[in-house]
């Protein structure tokens, strides 16, 4: 729900009433991924929707999904998808 906020593992753990180590262990057990990696994946998933459904810039979208640095967002997007956000947008537009 708060994926776009500047949020840390410690913030989430405090909210849940667990230590960050305990929360990490629980999350990894049930989701088979770290909480931080899950949050990043969710941010990228939501940004994909924004890339194809809006005319917002990569910089605007990166901020909306919780990345404070557009360059880090682009690097992360490319690492997870194999292409840049602009290439993704172009590819999806070509399919439609």
């Amino acid at each position: 729900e708060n994926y776009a906020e500047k949020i840390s593992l410690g913030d989430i753990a405090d909210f849940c009433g667990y230590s960050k180590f305990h929360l990490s262990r629980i999350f990894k057990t049930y989701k088979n991924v770290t909480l931080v990696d899950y949050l990043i994946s969710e941010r990228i998933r939501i940004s994909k929707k924004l890339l194809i459904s809006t005319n917002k810039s990569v910089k605007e979208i990166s901020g909306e999904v919780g990345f404070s640095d557009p360059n880090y967002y682009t690097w992360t997007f490319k690492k997870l998808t194999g292409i840049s956000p602009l290439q993704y947008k172009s590819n999806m537009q070509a399919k439609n």
Side-chain angles (χ1 to χ4, degrees):
E1 212 173 272
N2 296 306
Y3 65 88
E5 303 299 320
K6 184 177 180 181
I7 191 166
S8 71
L9 177 60
D11 295 333
I12 298 168
D14 289 344
F15 180 79
C16 296
Y18 293 110
S19 74
K20 59 185 177 182
F21 305 106
H22 186 67
L23 178 62
S24 292
R25 195 173 32 239
I26 292 170
F27 197 89
K28 177 82 173 180
T29 298
Y30 287 98
K31 289 289 192 180
N32 204 30
V33 66
T34 68
L35 194 143
V36 172
D37 286 345
Y38 179 82
L39 178 59
I40 290 170
S41 294
E42 281 299 295
R43 288 174 169 169
I44 296 300
R45 183 185 65 79
I46 293 163
S47 76
K48 286 178 174 180
K49 289 181 180 180
L50 293 172
L51 284 165
I52 60 175
S53 66
T54 70
N55 287 324
K56 294 179 180 180
S57 69
V58 169
K59 183 178 180 179
E60 289 173 303
I61 291 172
S62 69
E64 281 188 33
V65 297
F67 286 89
S68 57
D69 180 355
N71 294 321
Y72 179 66
Y73 162 73
T74 298
W75 181 86
T76 303
F77 191 101
K78 190 169 185 176
K79 180 181 174 192
L80 294 178
T81 65
I83 58 176
S84 73
L86 289 177
Q87 289 170 316
Y88 177 82
K89 183 173 187 156
S90 177
N91 290 351
M92 295 308 290
Q93 287 174 338
K95 289 182 181 181
N96 294 330

